Amino acid sequence: MSARLIAVAVAAICLFTAEANAQVTASSYSNGGTAISTASGRGNTRLNARSYATNGGFARADMRGSGRNGGFASGNSSAYANGGVAISNGRSIANGYGARSHANSTARTFGGYSNSSSTAKALGNWANARSDSTANSWFGQSSQSHAKAVDRRWVPQPQPYCPPTQPPIVPW
């Protein structure tokens, strides 16, 4: 096997393993209602979307994320509707060296309307963003909750030392 062919094989394995860390689950359950769950992720992610609907309720949970360039994105999106409408949206984005992002979004209703959205972004060297949002409602009521966290902790680089160009003047 030639060195060129080995290099191509190693590069192909690295490309496949870079996307192999995505762990995404979506589950829905309906007992007399409509339940929809979607989840998608790229890169180093651990994302979950769950929905549960009963008594003619409508529940939708959506979770999306991206953990690329060394970052890690995680999050949960949950919706529970018992005779009402519950919508939950979660977004988790991490970029750069060691960036972490975690977003939780939960919407629950018993005959009302609940809408929850949570977004967490972490961009930078040792960034860590976390966002949690919860919306609850009862019969005939409406509840909305939104949370957003953005963390851009770029570690400042040390300034170079520049010695003076001329010697200091010393009085005699």
Side-chain angles (χ1 to χ4, degrees), residues 63-97:
M63 186 71 208
R64 299 192 190 289
S66 176
R68 303 178 114 185
N69 301 325
F72 176 72
S74 62
N76 300 297
S77 180
S78 303
Y80 173 72
N82 184 1
V85 176
I87 299 170
S88 175
N89 292 306
R91 302 284 181 269
S92 183
I93 300 165
N95 242 340
Y97 172 73

PDB file of all heavy atoms in Angstrom, residues 63-97:
ATOM      1  N   MET A  63     -35.621  20.222  18.847  1.00  0.00           N
ATOM      2  CA  MET A  63     -34.286  20.473  19.392  1.00  0.00           C
ATOM      3  C   MET A  63     -33.278  20.410  18.273  1.00  0.00           C
ATOM      4  O   MET A  63     -33.267  19.462  17.485  1.00  0.00           O
ATOM      5  CB  MET A  63     -33.956  19.413  20.448  1.00  0.00           C
ATOM      6  CG  MET A  63     -32.665  19.653  21.163  1.00  0.00           C
ATOM      7  SD  MET A  63     -32.824  21.058  22.261  1.00  0.00           S
ATOM      8  CE  MET A  63     -31.155  21.656  22.302  1.00  0.00           C
ATOM      9  N   ARG A  64     -32.431  21.433  18.163  1.00  0.00           N
ATOM     10  CA  ARG A  64     -31.394  21.477  17.140  1.00  0.00           C
ATOM     11  C   ARG A  64     -30.092  21.925  17.794  1.00  0.00           C
ATOM     12  O   ARG A  64     -30.108  22.712  18.729  1.00  0.00           O
ATOM     13  CB  ARG A  64     -31.756  22.462  16.037  1.00  0.00           C
ATOM     14  CG  ARG A  64     -33.025  22.105  15.316  1.00  0.00           C
ATOM     15  CD  ARG A  64     -33.215  22.917  14.055  1.00  0.00           C
ATOM     16  NE  ARG A  64     -34.529  22.736  13.485  1.00  0.00           N
ATOM     17  CZ  ARG A  64     -34.962  21.640  12.880  1.00  0.00           C
ATOM     18  NH1 ARG A  64     -34.171  20.617  12.775  1.00  0.00           N
ATOM     19  NH2 ARG A  64     -36.171  21.565  12.386  1.00  0.00           N
ATOM     20  N   GLY A  65     -28.977  21.415  17.249  1.00  0.00           N
ATOM     21  CA  GLY A  65     -27.704  21.792  17.823  1.00  0.00           C
ATOM     22  C   GLY A  65     -26.536  21.545  16.902  1.00  0.00           C
ATOM     23  O   GLY A  65     -26.628  20.797  15.938  1.00  0.00           O
ATOM     24  N   SER A  66     -25.422  22.187  17.241  1.00  0.00           N
ATOM     25  CA  SER A  66     -24.188  22.048  16.483  1.00  0.00           C
ATOM     26  C   SER A  66     -23.017  22.130  17.453  1.00  0.00           C
ATOM     27  O   SER A  66     -22.885  23.117  18.178  1.00  0.00           O
ATOM     28  CB  SER A  66     -24.089  23.156  15.434  1.00  0.00           C
ATOM     29  OG  SER A  66     -22.847  23.079  14.769  1.00  0.00           O
ATOM     30  N   GLY A  67     -22.202  21.094  17.455  1.00  0.00           N
ATOM     31  CA  GLY A  67     -20.999  21.072  18.280  1.00  0.00           C
ATOM     32  C   GLY A  67     -19.805  20.790  17.403  1.00  0.00           C
ATOM     33  O   GLY A  67     -19.385  19.653  17.277  1.00  0.00           O
ATOM     34  N   ARG A  68     -19.293  21.801  16.783  1.00  0.00           N
ATOM     35  CA  ARG A  68     -18.185  21.644  15.845  1.00  0.00           C
ATOM     36  C   ARG A  68     -16.965  22.402  16.333  1.00  0.00           C
ATOM     37  O   ARG A  68     -17.051  23.202  17.248  1.00  0.00           O
ATOM     38  CB  ARG A  68     -18.614  22.131  14.466  1.00  0.00           C
ATOM     39  CG  ARG A  68     -19.847  21.386  13.977  1.00  0.00           C
ATOM     40  CD  ARG A  68     -20.282  21.884  12.659  1.00  0.00           C
ATOM     41  NE  ARG A  68     -20.086  20.805  11.703  1.00  0.00           N
ATOM     42  CZ  ARG A  68     -20.275  20.921  10.416  1.00  0.00           C
ATOM     43  NH1 ARG A  68     -20.632  22.063   9.910  1.00  0.00           N
ATOM     44  NH2 ARG A  68     -20.099  19.901   9.636  1.00  0.00           N
ATOM     45  N   ASN A  69     -15.856  22.151  15.683  1.00  0.00           N
ATOM     46  CA  ASN A  69     -14.576  22.819  15.974  1.00  0.00           C
ATOM     47  C   ASN A  69     -14.136  22.616  17.421  1.00  0.00           C
ATOM     48  O   ASN A  69     -13.620  23.519  18.058  1.00  0.00           O
ATOM     49  CB  ASN A  69     -14.657  24.315  15.666  1.00  0.00           C
ATOM     50  CG  ASN A  69     -15.011  24.586  14.230  1.00  0.00           C
ATOM     51  OD1 ASN A  69     -14.595  23.850  13.340  1.00  0.00           O
ATOM     52  ND2 ASN A  69     -15.791  25.612  13.999  1.00  0.00           N
ATOM     53  N   GLY A  70     -14.398  21.438  17.975  1.00  0.00           N
ATOM     54  CA  GLY A  70     -13.988  21.138  19.345  1.00  0.00           C
ATOM     55  C   GLY A  70     -15.024  21.463  20.390  1.00  0.00           C
ATOM     56  O   GLY A  70     -14.850  21.131  21.554  1.00  0.00           O
ATOM     57  N   GLY A  71     -16.123  22.097  20.044  1.00  0.00           N
ATOM     58  CA  GLY A  71     -17.165  22.435  21.009  1.00  0.00           C
ATOM     59  C   GLY A  71     -18.087  21.256  21.292  1.00  0.00           C
ATOM     60  O   GLY A  71     -18.092  20.267  20.567  1.00  0.00           O
ATOM     61  N   PHE A  72     -18.901  21.358  22.345  1.00  0.00           N
ATOM     62  CA  PHE A  72     -19.862  20.316  22.705  1.00  0.00           C
ATOM     63  C   PHE A  72     -21.203  20.986  22.978  1.00  0.00           C
ATOM     64  O   PHE A  72     -21.303  21.891  23.805  1.00  0.00           O
ATOM     65  CB  PHE A  72     -19.395  19.558  23.947  1.00  0.00           C
ATOM     66  CG  PHE A  72     -20.389  18.539  24.418  1.00  0.00           C
ATOM     67  CD1 PHE A  72     -20.601  17.371  23.704  1.00  0.00           C
ATOM     68  CD2 PHE A  72     -21.116  18.760  25.567  1.00  0.00           C
ATOM     69  CE1 PHE A  72     -21.523  16.437  24.131  1.00  0.00           C
ATOM     70  CE2 PHE A  72     -22.037  17.833  26.005  1.00  0.00           C
ATOM     71  CZ  PHE A  72     -22.241  16.660  25.287  1.00  0.00           C
ATOM     72  N   ALA A  73     -22.236  20.542  22.259  1.00  0.00           N
ATOM     73  CA  ALA A  73     -23.581  21.104  22.423  1.00  0.00           C
ATOM     74  C   ALA A  73     -24.503  20.021  22.962  1.00  0.00           C
ATOM     75  O   ALA A  73     -24.533  18.905  22.450  1.00  0.00           O
ATOM     76  CB  ALA A  73     -24.100  21.620  21.085  1.00  0.00           C
ATOM     77  N   SER A  74     -25.282  20.365  23.993  1.00  0.00           N
ATOM     78  CA  SER A  74     -26.246  19.421  24.549  1.00  0.00           C
ATOM     79  C   SER A  74     -27.525  20.178  24.874  1.00  0.00           C
ATOM     80  O   SER A  74     -27.533  21.397  24.997  1.00  0.00           O
ATOM     81  CB  SER A  74     -25.689  18.748  25.808  1.00  0.00           C
ATOM     82  OG  SER A  74     -25.434  19.713  26.809  1.00  0.00           O
ATOM     83  N   GLY A  75     -28.622  19.424  25.013  1.00  0.00           N
ATOM     84  CA  GLY A  75     -29.875  20.072  25.369  1.00  0.00           C
ATOM     85  C   GLY A  75     -31.056  19.127  25.328  1.00  0.00           C
ATOM     86  O   GLY A  75     -30.983  18.020  24.787  1.00  0.00           O
ATOM     87  N   ASN A  76     -32.146  19.593  25.943  1.00  0.00           N
ATOM     88  CA  ASN A  76     -33.397  18.853  26.009  1.00  0.00           C
ATOM     89  C   ASN A  76     -34.552  19.785  25.682  1.00  0.00           C
ATOM     90  O   ASN A  76     -34.577  20.929  26.128  1.00  0.00           O
ATOM     91  CB  ASN A  76     -33.613  18.279  27.412  1.00  0.00           C
ATOM     92  CG  ASN A  76     -32.516  17.335  27.818  1.00  0.00           C
ATOM     93  OD1 ASN A  76     -32.327  16.306  27.196  1.00  0.00           O
ATOM     94  ND2 ASN A  76     -31.772  17.699  28.843  1.00  0.00           N
ATOM     95  N   SER A  77     -35.497  19.266  24.923  1.00  0.00           N
ATOM     96  CA  SER A  77     -36.721  20.003  24.616  1.00  0.00           C
ATOM     97  C   SER A  77     -37.897  19.070  24.891  1.00  0.00           C
ATOM     98  O   SER A  77     -37.969  17.977  24.321  1.00  0.00           O
ATOM     99  CB  SER A  77     -36.717  20.462  23.157  1.00  0.00           C
ATOM    100  OG  SER A  77     -37.901  21.172  22.868  1.00  0.00           O
ATOM    101  N   SER A  78     -38.812  19.491  25.771  1.00  0.00           N
ATOM    102  CA  SER A  78     -39.937  18.648  26.167  1.00  0.00           C
ATOM    103  C   SER A  78     -41.237  19.424  26.088  1.00  0.00           C
ATOM    104  O   SER A  78     -41.297  20.588  26.501  1.00  0.00           O
ATOM    105  CB  SER A  78     -39.763  18.148  27.603  1.00  0.00           C
ATOM    106  OG  SER A  78     -38.559  17.442  27.741  1.00  0.00           O
ATOM    107  N   ALA A  79     -42.287  18.770  25.578  1.00  0.00           N
ATOM    108  CA  ALA A  79     -43.615  19.382  25.516  1.00  0.00           C
ATOM    109  C   ALA A  79     -44.647  18.359  25.992  1.00  0.00           C
ATOM    110  O   ALA A  79     -44.625  17.203  25.565  1.00  0.00           O
ATOM    111  CB  ALA A  79     -43.941  19.824  24.094  1.00  0.00           C
ATOM    112  N   TYR A  80     -45.555  18.809  26.890  1.00  0.00           N
ATOM    113  CA  TYR A  80     -46.628  17.963  27.397  1.00  0.00           C
ATOM    114  C   TYR A  80     -47.933  18.745  27.312  1.00  0.00           C
ATOM    115  O   TYR A  80     -48.046  19.836  27.871  1.00  0.00           O
ATOM    116  CB  TYR A  80     -46.359  17.542  28.844  1.00  0.00           C
ATOM    117  CG  TYR A  80     -47.513  16.803  29.457  1.00  0.00           C
ATOM    118  CD1 TYR A  80     -47.814  15.495  29.068  1.00  0.00           C
ATOM    119  CD2 TYR A  80     -48.317  17.404  30.407  1.00  0.00           C
ATOM    120  CE1 TYR A  80     -48.882  14.821  29.610  1.00  0.00           C
ATOM    121  CE2 TYR A  80     -49.382  16.736  30.961  1.00  0.00           C
ATOM    122  CZ  TYR A  80     -49.666  15.438  30.561  1.00  0.00           C
ATOM    123  OH  TYR A  80     -50.729  14.768  31.100  1.00  0.00           O
ATOM    124  N   ALA A  81     -48.915  18.182  26.586  1.00  0.00           N
ATOM    125  CA  ALA A  81     -50.209  18.857  26.422  1.00  0.00           C
ATOM    126  C   ALA A  81     -51.333  17.907  26.825  1.00  0.00           C
ATOM    127  O   ALA A  81     -51.467  16.829  26.257  1.00  0.00           O
ATOM    128  CB  ALA A  81     -50.400  19.306  24.983  1.00  0.00           C
ATOM    129  N   ASN A  82     -52.124  18.336  27.787  1.00  0.00           N
ATOM    130  CA  ASN A  82     -53.307  17.597  28.206  1.00  0.00           C
ATOM    131  C   ASN A  82     -54.513  18.468  27.848  1.00  0.00           C
ATOM    132  O   ASN A  82     -54.971  19.273  28.647  1.00  0.00           O
ATOM    133  CB  ASN A  82     -53.253  17.304  29.701  1.00  0.00           C
ATOM    134  CG  ASN A  82     -54.414  16.458  30.169  1.00  0.00           C
ATOM    135  OD1 ASN A  82     -55.263  16.063  29.379  1.00  0.00           O
ATOM    136  ND2 ASN A  82     -54.466  16.192  31.463  1.00  0.00           N
ATOM    137  N   GLY A  83     -54.996  18.326  26.603  1.00  0.00           N
ATOM    138  CA  GLY A  83     -56.148  19.101  26.162  1.00  0.00           C
ATOM    139  C   GLY A  83     -55.844  20.522  25.757  1.00  0.00           C
ATOM    140  O   GLY A  83     -56.740  21.332  25.645  1.00  0.00           O
ATOM    141  N   GLY A  84     -54.634  20.881  25.530  1.00  0.00           N
ATOM    142  CA  GLY A  84     -54.267  22.235  25.114  1.00  0.00           C
ATOM    143  C   GLY A  84     -53.150  22.179  24.098  1.00  0.00           C
ATOM    144  O   GLY A  84     -52.957  21.181  23.401  1.00  0.00           O
ATOM    145  N   VAL A  85     -52.374  23.263  24.009  1.00  0.00           N
ATOM    146  CA  VAL A  85     -51.266  23.350  23.058  1.00  0.00           C
ATOM    147  C   VAL A  85     -49.981  23.651  23.828  1.00  0.00           C
ATOM    148  O   VAL A  85     -49.921  24.627  24.574  1.00  0.00           O
ATOM    149  CB  VAL A  85     -51.521  24.452  22.005  1.00  0.00           C
ATOM    150  CG1 VAL A  85     -50.321  24.606  21.083  1.00  0.00           C
ATOM    151  CG2 VAL A  85     -52.778  24.163  21.205  1.00  0.00           C
ATOM    152  N   ALA A  86     -48.968  22.808  23.622  1.00  0.00           N
ATOM    153  CA  ALA A  86     -47.649  23.008  24.231  1.00  0.00           C
ATOM    154  C   ALA A  86     -46.586  22.925  23.136  1.00  0.00           C
ATOM    155  O   ALA A  86     -46.517  21.932  22.410  1.00  0.00           O
ATOM    156  CB  ALA A  86     -47.379  21.964  25.300  1.00  0.00           C
ATOM    157  N   ILE A  87     -45.777  23.982  23.024  1.00  0.00           N
ATOM    158  CA  ILE A  87     -44.725  24.049  22.010  1.00  0.00           C
ATOM    159  C   ILE A  87     -43.408  24.368  22.712  1.00  0.00           C
ATOM    160  O   ILE A  87     -43.318  25.329  23.472  1.00  0.00           O
ATOM    161  CB  ILE A  87     -45.035  25.124  20.951  1.00  0.00           C
ATOM    162  CG1 ILE A  87     -46.346  24.783  20.235  1.00  0.00           C
ATOM    163  CG2 ILE A  87     -43.896  25.244  19.953  1.00  0.00           C
ATOM    164  CD1 ILE A  87     -46.864  25.872  19.343  1.00  0.00           C
ATOM    165  N   SER A  88     -42.391  23.551  22.430  1.00  0.00           N
ATOM    166  CA  SER A  88     -41.082  23.734  23.040  1.00  0.00           C
ATOM    167  C   SER A  88     -40.010  23.712  21.952  1.00  0.00           C
ATOM    168  O   SER A  88     -39.980  22.807  21.126  1.00  0.00           O
ATOM    169  CB  SER A  88     -40.823  22.611  24.049  1.00  0.00           C
ATOM    170  OG  SER A  88     -39.527  22.709  24.570  1.00  0.00           O
ATOM    171  N   ASN A  89     -39.149  24.730  21.965  1.00  0.00           N
ATOM    172  CA  ASN A  89     -38.048  24.833  20.994  1.00  0.00           C
ATOM    173  C   ASN A  89     -36.736  25.021  21.741  1.00  0.00           C
ATOM    174  O   ASN A  89     -36.639  25.887  22.602  1.00  0.00           O
ATOM    175  CB  ASN A  89     -38.247  26.025  20.053  1.00  0.00           C
ATOM    176  CG  ASN A  89     -39.410  25.829  19.134  1.00  0.00           C
ATOM    177  OD1 ASN A  89     -39.487  24.837  18.436  1.00  0.00           O
ATOM    178  ND2 ASN A  89     -40.343  26.772  19.163  1.00  0.00           N
ATOM    179  N   GLY A  90     -35.731  24.233  21.379  1.00  0.00           N
ATOM    180  CA  GLY A  90     -34.409  24.353  21.982  1.00  0.00           C
ATOM    181  C   GLY A  90     -33.337  24.447  20.920  1.00  0.00           C
ATOM    182  O   GLY A  90     -33.424  23.783  19.886  1.00  0.00           O
ATOM    183  N   ARG A  91     -32.313  25.282  21.169  1.00  0.00           N
ATOM    184  CA  ARG A  91     -31.168  25.438  20.272  1.00  0.00           C
ATOM    185  C   ARG A  91     -29.907  25.464  21.129  1.00  0.00           C
ATOM    186  O   ARG A  91     -29.835  26.211  22.099  1.00  0.00           O
ATOM    187  CB  ARG A  91     -31.231  26.747  19.481  1.00  0.00           C
ATOM    188  CG  ARG A  91     -32.465  26.933  18.643  1.00  0.00           C
ATOM    189  CD  ARG A  91     -32.404  26.095  17.388  1.00  0.00           C
ATOM    190  NE  ARG A  91     -33.574  26.282  16.559  1.00  0.00           N
ATOM    191  CZ  ARG A  91     -34.673  25.554  16.626  1.00  0.00           C
ATOM    192  NH1 ARG A  91     -34.766  24.599  17.513  1.00  0.00           N
ATOM    193  NH2 ARG A  91     -35.684  25.757  15.823  1.00  0.00           N
ATOM    194  N   SER A  92     -28.918  24.675  20.723  1.00  0.00           N
ATOM    195  CA  SER A  92     -27.650  24.616  21.441  1.00  0.00           C
ATOM    196  C   SER A  92     -26.515  24.650  20.430  1.00  0.00           C
ATOM    197  O   SER A  92     -26.431  23.781  19.567  1.00  0.00           O
ATOM    198  CB  SER A  92     -27.587  23.341  22.285  1.00  0.00           C
ATOM    199  OG  SER A  92     -26.398  23.298  23.034  1.00  0.00           O
ATOM    200  N   ILE A  93     -25.647  25.657  20.531  1.00  0.00           N
ATOM    201  CA  ILE A  93     -24.570  25.844  19.565  1.00  0.00           C
ATOM    202  C   ILE A  93     -23.264  26.076  20.327  1.00  0.00           C
ATOM    203  O   ILE A  93     -23.196  26.940  21.193  1.00  0.00           O
ATOM    204  CB  ILE A  93     -24.855  27.049  18.647  1.00  0.00           C
ATOM    205  CG1 ILE A  93     -26.149  26.832  17.883  1.00  0.00           C
ATOM    206  CG2 ILE A  93     -23.698  27.278  17.688  1.00  0.00           C
ATOM    207  CD1 ILE A  93     -26.701  28.073  17.239  1.00  0.00           C
ATOM    208  N   ALA A  94     -22.247  25.283  20.009  1.00  0.00           N
ATOM    209  CA  ALA A  94     -20.927  25.448  20.630  1.00  0.00           C
ATOM    210  C   ALA A  94     -19.888  25.499  19.526  1.00  0.00           C
ATOM    211  O   ALA A  94     -19.958  24.756  18.566  1.00  0.00           O
ATOM    212  CB  ALA A  94     -20.641  24.299  21.574  1.00  0.00           C
ATOM    213  N   ASN A  95     -18.926  26.368  19.657  1.00  0.00           N
ATOM    214  CA  ASN A  95     -17.889  26.539  18.648  1.00  0.00           C
ATOM    215  C   ASN A  95     -16.547  26.719  19.336  1.00  0.00           C
ATOM    216  O   ASN A  95     -16.494  27.164  20.464  1.00  0.00           O
ATOM    217  CB  ASN A  95     -18.175  27.781  17.804  1.00  0.00           C
ATOM    218  CG  ASN A  95     -18.400  27.453  16.363  1.00  0.00           C
ATOM    219  OD1 ASN A  95     -18.011  26.407  15.891  1.00  0.00           O
ATOM    220  ND2 ASN A  95     -19.044  28.361  15.666  1.00  0.00           N
ATOM    221  N   GLY A  96     -15.498  26.418  18.667  1.00  0.00           N
ATOM    222  CA  GLY A  96     -14.175  26.737  19.177  1.00  0.00           C
ATOM    223  C   GLY A  96     -13.649  25.743  20.187  1.00  0.00           C
ATOM    224  O   GLY A  96     -14.296  24.774  20.563  1.00  0.00           O
ATOM    225  N   TYR A  97     -12.455  26.021  20.672  1.00  0.00           N
ATOM    226  CA  TYR A  97     -11.756  25.133  21.581  1.00  0.00           C
ATOM    227  C   TYR A  97     -12.455  25.072  22.942  1.00  0.00           C
ATOM    228  O   TYR A  97     -12.583  26.065  23.634  1.00  0.00           O
ATOM    229  CB  TYR A  97     -10.313  25.622  21.746  1.00  0.00           C
ATOM    230  CG  TYR A  97      -9.552  24.895  22.807  1.00  0.00           C
ATOM    231  CD1 TYR A  97      -9.122  23.591  22.603  1.00  0.00           C
ATOM    232  CD2 TYR A  97      -9.285  25.499  24.009  1.00  0.00           C
ATOM    233  CE1 TYR A  97      -8.422  22.932  23.583  1.00  0.00           C
ATOM    234  CE2 TYR A  97      -8.590  24.838  24.992  1.00  0.00           C
ATOM    235  CZ  TYR A  97      -8.164  23.541  24.774  1.00  0.00           C
ATOM    236  OH  TYR A  97      -7.479  22.882  25.740  1.00  0.00           O
TER     237      TYR A  97
END
